[in-house]
Amino acid sequence: MRHYEIVAVIHPDQHSRAGEMAERYKKIIAEGGGVVHRFEDWGLRELAYPLKKQKRAQYILFNIECGAQTLGALEEDFRFSEAVMRTLVVRRERAVSGDSPVIKKIAEEKEAARMKAEESAREAAKAEAAPAAKEGTDKESPSAKPAKSAKPGGEKGTVAKPAVKGKEDKDDKDAKEAKEAKEGKKRGRAAKEADEGDKTLKAPRAKSRVRRPRAADEGDDDGDDGGDE
C-alpha cells in the first residue's frame, strides 16, 4: 500500500455535512484495508480565486495509507458528489500524522481571538466598576466634615460650628479684594492731589499791570513857569 495526502474542497452550502462525508470516506478506506493516519477539518476558508461562483469553501484533509483500488473508489465518490467542488491527491513517501501548518495557524488565530475577547471583557468590567467605586468613595469621605463638638470644660451652651473650607476661602478672598480696592482708592486720591499741586506750581503768574497816575502838578508847574517868564 502507498501513502497519500488528499484535500477535498466542499461547497459552502454543504459545509454542515463535512463531518458526515468524512465518516463515509473513512469507511471506504477501512473497507479497502487502508489506514487513516491524519484527518483535519480546516473549516470555511477564503478561496484563492472564485470557484463555481463561490469565494469560500469547506476544507478537509486526509493522510491515508491504502491500495490503488481503495484510492480509485474514493476518487469515484468525489467525482459524483455534488458537494465536492474540487480535490487534490498527492503521493507521499511515508505516513504523516503531525499537525499541518494550516491547522496550527487556525489554532493560533483562535487563541488570539480568545485572548482578545478576555481582554475586552476585563476592560468592560473595569469601566463598569469604576463609577460604582467612585460613588462609594464620595459617600465614605465627604469633602466638608463637621467639626468636633466643644469639650465639656468649655463655655456652657457653646456648640462648635462646622468648618466649611470653601466659605472661609471665599471670605478671605472678599476681604483681600476689599482691602486692595481701598488701597487703590487711596493711591488714586494721592496721585490726583499730587497732580493738582504740580499744576498749581507750574501755572505762570499773571503779570500785574499798574497804571501810574499822571501827575496833575506837572501841567500846572509848566504853566506857572511860562507866566513868570
Side-chain angles (χ1 to χ4, degrees):
M1 292 189 294
R2 296 178 177 179
H3 298 281
Y4 300 96
E5 184 172 282
I6 303 172
V7 178
V9 181
I10 300 172
H11 197 281
D13 294 340
Q14 303 292 329
H15 75 278
S16 59
R17 295 178 52 208
E20 177 186 344
M21 295 169 66
E23 291 300 323
R24 185 171 73 250
Y25 301 149
K26 290 178 182 179
K27 184 178 179 181
I28 293 173
I29 295 166
E31 289 176 352
V35 180
V36 178
H37 294 287
R38 179 173 68 177
F39 169 73
E40 292 178 356
D41 185 352
W42 294 350
L44 283 171
R45 299 184 65 80
E46 295 288 336
L47 294 170
Y49 53 88
L51 187 62
K52 293 185 179 180
K53 299 181 180 180
Q54 301 297 323
K55 296 182 178 180
R56 303 183 70 190
Q58 180 88 8
Y59 285 78
I60 57 175
L61 170 71
F62 284 96
N63 281 87
I64 63 175
E65 183 180 357
C66 66
Q69 187 176 358
T70 304
L71 181 62
L74 283 172
E75 289 179 338
E76 184 177 0
D77 192 289
F78 293 151
R79 189 180 303 112
F80 291 103
S81 175
E82 295 180 356
V84 178
M85 299 171 65
R86 187 160 296 183
T87 59
L88 175 66
V89 180
V90 180
R91 185 176 174 180
R92 292 289 186 179
E93 296 297 328
R94 60 181 184 277
V96 180
S97 57
D99 292 339
S100 67
V102 175
I103 203 68
K104 288 179 181 178
K105 184 177 180 181
I106 292 172
E108 291 174 359
E109 291 174 352
K110 288 182 179 179
E111 182 64 17
R114 184 186 65 80
M115 292 178 67
K116 186 175 181 180
E118 290 180 356
E119 183 67 21
S120 300
R122 284 195 295 269
E123 292 295 333
K126 287 181 181 179
E128 291 177 359
K134 185 177 180 181
E135 185 179 354
T137 305
D138 293 342
K139 288 182 179 179
E140 291 176 1
S141 57
S143 58
K145 293 184 179 179
K148 294 182 179 179
S149 59
K151 295 182 180 179
E155 287 186 20
K156 186 176 181 181
T158 303
V159 179
K161 294 182 179 180
V164 183
K165 185 178 179 181
K167 187 176 180 182
E168 292 178 356
D169 294 342
K170 186 177 180 182
D171 293 341
D172 293 342
K173 186 177 180 180
D174 293 342
K176 187 177 180 181
E177 289 178 355
K179 185 177 179 181
E180 290 178 354
K182 189 175 181 181
E183 291 177 356
K185 286 182 179 180
K186 287 183 179 180
R187 287 194 297 269
R189 192 180 300 112
K192 186 176 181 182
E193 291 176 357
D195 291 341
E196 290 178 356
D198 293 342
K199 288 179 181 179
T200 304
L201 292 173
K202 292 178 180 179
R205 293 183 180 181
K207 293 183 180 180
S208 61
R209 186 176 181 182
V210 180
R211 186 175 183 181
R212 297 176 63 187
R214 185 177 180 183
D217 296 338
E218 291 179 1
D220 295 339
D221 292 342
D222 295 339
D224 292 343
D225 294 339
D228 292 337
E229 292 178 354

